[in-house]
Amino acid sequence: MPAHVPNAGWSRRDLLKRTGGLAALAALTAACGGNTGRPSSGGGGGSKPSLSQWYHQYGEAGTQQAAQKYAKAYTDANVTVQWTPGDYGTKLSSGLLSSKGPDVFESQLNIGMVKSNQVVALDDIIADVKDDFLPGDLATNTVDGKIYGIRMIIDPQVIYYRKSLLDKAGIKPPQTIDDLISAAKELTTNKVKGIFVGNDGGLALGSPALWAAGGDRLTKDHKPGFSGDGPVKMFGKLHELYASKSVLLGSPTDWTDPGAINQGLCAMQWIGMWAVPGMQKALGDDLGVIPFPALDASNKPAVYSGGWTQFVSAKSPNVDAAKKFVKWLWIDQAADQEDWSLSYGFHIPPRKSVAAKAAKLQSGVAADTVKLTQDYGHTDDPAWTPKMGTAFGDMLTNIIKKGADPAAEIANAEKTVNDELKRLFG
Amino acid sequence: MSSTVKTRTDPASSGERRGGRRQKGIKGNALWFWVFVGPFVIGLLVFSYLPIIWSLVLSFFEAYNTATPSKFVGLQNYVDMLTDQNFLSSLGTFTIFAVFIVPLTFVLSLALALLVNQVKIARAFFRSVFFLPTACSYVVASLIWKLSIFNGVRFGLANTILGWFGIDNIAWLSTVSPPWYWLPLVTVRLWLQLGFYMILFIAGLQRISPTLYEAAYVDGAKPGWQVFRYITLPQLRATSVAVLILNLIAAYQAFDEFYNLIGNVNYARPPLVYLYGISLGSIQDLGHGSAGALILAVIIMLVTLLQSRIFGFGKAGD
């Protein structure tokens, strides 16, 4: 190459070497990066902090756009919404291990998150409105007297049924577990199964069944609370229900989706109140609701008062900004909270003042569900960790699907739960 | 001028120059080798070897909800995992799966290879048809199996066919007694991997010299079973051993079809699903998870070595 030509020192080979090296370096750098959901350059918002807010994928149409709308309306930070289809729990768990995770995220609290310093206490932002939250919703987010999350929605899980099918069979809404088993059998035909409680045969029923038999996952003084005659008998009844051949199994959609009852595959379905709009659209007024029935007259029925809670990651580089955003969205913006709870699926707004004004919860099956939740609702105990949950689920699988002896299975699960309690509480 | 002549006629000088050029060429090649291979080597170190080393470190520590070791526990995590009934049961699930999948894949892929290799017309077409499922994602295939073919309601393909014969719907993925879930689990993997092993066998078949067959016929061997038994099968020994080893390792690594078809349930939970649940799922117990993963890695290595030893893989002459 002549000396007067620019880049005289670069041969074709040199050029290739240098660009090849740069490309390789760029590829490696890109591979080492990660999409945290935060704007890459601060979002062009000058000195405003950038926040990443993580959601799981809600089934109801319009929820993602609503979350983005709220984030956009916030002016004190650039908030980016990361919407996660599929296994949100695993993605969140991995995200919380590093500073590349979310600043603000929805989840359910367990004591492990507090002990490993994954979440920050939010007592300061909830202090003024604490009384406007239900005691159970505060308790489920409290560890050692500190509140770590702000409840976003309450999702009661109950049994919805087709009124017309029960009327046709001359059956009254079941009051006890034996009634439920009989009703499921009577409602089963060659086209329609009596009840759908999930393709796993009813693992979601485990805790409500336990409460409806007078037990609990953990006692107040942190001991296993699921042994004794009541739970043994109740878990045996869950197997009886499963073995009665009146339970729908292998549905294309699982219990969290109203597809099975909407398509006429079952007469009753265990599901959350979130699906009420979808069920009403398909079934009209042909919809009734019952809690999980009691073991017998000496026990109370139960409703699992589930839901989602907003947390601030302790690894966030902008903890204060994240707390300010959480307060703005989930404490100050009453209109957005009502919109989030009731414009897409149906959920109960956790703020009592917001729930009281929610017109969509004042009538019909939604109002009935709210009443049942007030009367029989149970929230999660934050001392109940995922490891305990796995042992409990394995116990239920063995009892329900394999017909194993409930007392022996309970003893096995208790061992794991005791080990975990010993690790956590000494 | 004279120097030019010298250069042209002096073999030593000429050789030195060529040698110099060759040396430069080798250096250039080495540089290009690292330009292209380097990033992948770095990737391998950063994303494979470093995590393995980190996993080894974590396996000696308590590490709940954190990837940073918090409390040294020595070999306790290994003891816990080796006495954990769920982990041992997951190895049992693997064994059942391997008992189904390894021989079936071997026999069916060999049969397919023999059939496709004998086809006179459109051989490439048939090879492609059977190989194509290999390109399909395990997740996608599992969802098709779960939602369309083996769902438990009346409009699932399998139940529709049973319905023609008056047989009631079967909840394929939910019934543990009888354990029908093995049928979707095994068939989806067969569909996905038969083509790959068929191609390996076809390659093996094409390496067999036709003179061996001619000699066999001259010696009176009958086409069909005799030729297959005494010529084809022995000649495929190396390929067969490779197929068996790859198959067994792949069976140990079963995850996608189990996770997507039946989830994390204790009656059919292979080791990777169990370890995934402990480490990366909601439990986030990276100490025990790492210990379990390393135990599994050691088991796979030992079984592979044992299998190679038994079948004589890599012997001279293979």
Side-chain angles (χ1 to χ4, degrees):
Chain A
M1 185 179 284
H4 64 272
V5 175
N7 293 334
W10 285 30
S11 66
R12 182 166 49 89
R13 184 166 289 181
D14 287 337
L15 182 72
L16 278 171
K17 280 178 192 169
R18 285 169 167 82
T19 51
L22 278 174
L25 187 65
L28 188 68
T29 315
C32 290
N35 180 10
T36 64
R38 294 185 197 95
S40 54
S41 59
S47 60
K48 277 196 223 171
S50 296
L51 299 175
S52 169
Q53 185 184 24
W54 285 17
Y55 286 88
H56 80 290
Q57 183 182 30
Y58 285 73
E60 302 87 27
T63 44
Q64 184 177 6
Q65 291 72 21
Q68 287 164 340
K69 185 180 73 181
Y70 310 146
K72 202 175 171 189
Y74 187 61
T75 52
D76 290 348
N78 298 307
V79 182
T80 310
V81 168
Q82 193 157 111
W83 198 254
T84 308
D87 192 352
Y88 173 72
T90 300
K91 184 178 175 183
L92 177 65
S93 298
S94 308
L96 291 176
L97 293 179
S98 75
S99 56
K100 301 272 183 191
D103 301 286
V104 177
F105 63 95
E106 58 171 13
S107 187
Q108 290 91 24
L109 185 70
N110 76 75
I111 193 168
M113 294 161 75
V114 176
K115 288 205 173 257
S116 54
N117 196 31
Q118 287 187 332
V119 288
V120 298
L122 302 177
D123 296 86
D124 49 343
I125 66 171
I126 199 175
D128 294 344
V129 290
K130 211 170 152 183
D131 293 342
D132 201 23
F133 284 86
L134 292 164
D137 292 333
L138 292 173
T140 196
N141 289 308
T142 302
V143 171
D144 293 335
K146 288 184 180 170
I147 297 171
Y148 287 89
I150 310 297
R151 194 79 141 152
M152 301 156 62
I153 45 172
I154 300 171
D155 285 327
Q157 292 171 24
V158 283
I159 296 170
Y160 289 96
Y161 60 89
R162 298 275 303 273
K163 283 181 182 172
S164 60
L165 295 179
L166 266 72
D167 290 344
K168 196 176 158 191
I171 302 170
K172 289 194 170 168
Q175 301 288 312
T176 64
I177 186 70
D178 285 325
D179 292 348
L180 184 73
I181 296 168
S182 307
K185 282 182 189 168
E186 285 182 57
L187 291 165
T188 297
T189 67
N190 61 348
K191 299 272 185 199
V192 180
K193 288 285 187 181
I195 190 167
F196 181 48
V197 291
N199 286 322
D200 55 20
L203 295 196
L205 304 182
S207 296
L210 179 60
W211 293 317
D216 206 344
R217 294 188 286 208
L218 294 175
T219 60
K220 299 272 183 225
D221 55 345
H222 301 138
K223 286 184 182 146
F226 49 93
S227 56
D229 291 345
V232 167
K233 199 171 172 192
M234 182 59 103
F235 293 149
K237 292 287 175 189
L238 291 184
H239 170 67
E240 196 180 323
L241 177 67
Y242 171 80
S244 68
K245 297 192 183 298
S246 56
V247 173
L248 173 66
L249 294 168
S251 168
T253 51
D254 217 330
W255 67 271
T256 52
D257 186 283
I261 194 166
N262 286 356
Q263 290 177 61
L265 296 173
C266 60
M268 302 183 279
Q269 179 170 342
W270 175 260
I271 193 171
M273 194 178 80
W274 59 80
V276 164
M279 289 189 287
Q280 284 177 329
K281 195 175 171 191
L283 307 171
D285 292 332
D286 186 17
L287 200 63
V289 60
I290 54 167
F292 189 89
L295 176 64
D296 50 37
S298 64
N299 287 289
K300 277 186 180 177
V303 171
Y304 175 50
S305 184
W308 290 91
T309 295
Q310 194 84 162
F311 298 95
V312 171
S313 168
K315 289 196 172 72
S316 165
N318 295 301
V319 167
D320 289 336
K323 283 169 76 172
K324 205 172 157 193
F325 171 64
V326 168
K327 180 177 185 300
W328 175 82
L329 181 55
W330 299 111
I331 291 176
D332 299 339
Q333 302 300 306
D336 286 347
Q337 290 153 34
E338 185 173 346
D339 178 62
W340 184 246
S341 289
L342 290 156
S343 295
Y344 314 99
F346 275 6
H347 316 263
I348 303 174
R351 297 283 301 278
K352 288 188 267 184
S353 56
V354 177
K357 284 189 275 183
K360 289 177 180 172
L361 297 180
Q362 308 300 322
S363 61
V365 76
D368 295 342
T369 311
V370 172
K371 178 80 172 59
L372 292 174
T373 309
Q374 285 164 356
D375 293 347
Y376 307 119
H378 293 260
T379 51
D380 289 313
D381 183 339
W384 184 255
T385 63
K387 196 168 189 173
M388 298 179 196
T390 302
F392 191 73
D394 287 351
M395 172 196 81
L396 286 170
T397 301
N398 291 341
I399 296 170
I400 296 174
K401 297 188 103 169
K402 295 183 185 172
D405 173 32
E409 291 298 325
I410 287 171
N412 273 342
E414 268 189 331
K415 190 181 170 303
T416 306
V417 172
N418 272 323
D419 289 348
E420 186 75 339
L421 287 168
K422 195 175 169 191
R423 178 178 74 82
L424 293 167
F425 299 103
Chain B
M1 185 70 190
S2 60
S3 68
T4 310
V5 172
K6 192 184 173 193
T7 306
R8 280 181 185 164
T9 54
D10 184 350
S13 170
S14 169
E16 191 181 351
R17 192 173 292 173
R18 278 202 302 273
R21 199 176 288 137
R22 198 182 305 128
Q23 207 166 11
K24 195 180 170 193
I26 289 166
K27 274 185 189 169
N29 284 341
L31 184 69
W32 279 111
F33 172 81
W34 285 111
V35 164
F36 286 111
V37 175
F40 298 102
V41 170
I42 294 169
L44 193 69
L45 289 171
V46 173
F47 297 112
S48 292
Y49 293 138
L50 197 62
I52 290 172
I53 293 166
W54 196 243
S55 188
L56 180 68
V57 172
L58 280 177
S59 71
F60 296 108
F61 286 84
E62 190 177 280
Y64 287 95
N65 294 81
T66 175
T68 310
S70 48
K71 180 183 158 194
F72 183 74
V73 293
L75 292 171
Q76 191 56 47
N77 288 335
Y78 287 92
V79 173
D80 291 347
M81 291 308 289
L82 288 169
T83 53
D84 178 353
Q85 284 308 310
N86 282 322
F87 183 59
L88 299 176
S89 148
S90 75
L91 293 173
T93 297
F94 148 74
T95 307
I96 297 171
F97 185 57
V99 164
F100 280 125
I101 203 73
V102 175
L104 272 175
T105 305
F106 183 89
V107 171
L108 293 176
S109 56
L110 177 58
L112 266 182
L114 290 167
L115 283 173
V116 171
N117 207 39
Q118 280 179 1
V119 169
K120 301 289 181 209
I121 50 165
R123 187 186 291 179
F125 169 77
F126 285 109
R127 265 202 310 247
S128 305
V129 163
F130 291 118
F131 185 72
L132 217 53
T134 306
C136 182
S137 140
Y138 268 65
V139 176
V140 170
S142 300
L143 290 177
I144 293 169
W145 252 243
K146 181 178 183 172
L147 299 176
S148 301
I149 303 176
F150 287 106
N151 73 42
V153 294
R154 57 183 180 269
F155 43 78
L157 179 63
N159 280 337
T160 302
I161 294 169
L162 290 182
W164 295 341
F165 301 98
I167 300 170
D168 282 345
N169 294 336
I170 292 176
W172 299 99
L173 293 163
S174 306
T175 307
V176 293
S177 176
W180 283 117
Y181 53 85
W182 283 116
L183 187 66
L185 282 170
V186 170
T187 52
V188 72
R189 179 166 277 224
L190 280 177
W191 185 76
L192 282 162
Q193 69 175 16
L194 274 186
F196 173 73
Y197 293 110
M198 176 198 76
I199 292 291
L200 293 188
F201 275 123
I202 287 176
L205 287 170
Q206 289 176 351
R207 277 185 59 221
I208 302 174
S209 168
T211 53
L212 285 171
Y213 290 108
E214 286 162 13
Y217 295 141
V218 169
D219 287 346
K222 290 173 190 161
W225 173 248
Q226 269 195 346
V227 169
F228 175 74
R229 166 74 182 80
Y230 293 106
I231 303 293
T232 310
L233 207 53
Q235 290 296 313
L236 283 177
R237 186 163 160 272
T239 312
S240 302
V241 175
V243 166
L244 285 173
I245 290 175
L246 289 174
N247 237 315
L248 197 69
I249 293 173
Y252 267 114
Q253 293 173 334
F255 178 86
D256 293 300
E257 66 271 59
F258 280 84
Y259 193 75
N260 288 291
L261 284 173
I262 52 177
N264 189 351
V265 291
N266 62 345
Y267 55 83
R269 187 160 53 193
L272 283 196
V273 172
Y274 183 59
L275 295 174
Y276 171 82
I278 290 181
S279 309
L280 304 173
S282 54
I283 293 179
Q284 289 278 296
D285 178 358
L286 290 163
H288 283 103
S290 298
L294 287 166
I295 291 170
L296 185 65
V298 169
I299 292 173
I300 293 176
M301 276 192 285
L302 288 177
V303 170
T304 306
L305 287 173
L306 190 70
Q307 206 180 11
S308 306
R309 187 102 182 169
I310 291 169
F311 291 116
F313 189 53
K315 267 186 186 172
D318 277 344

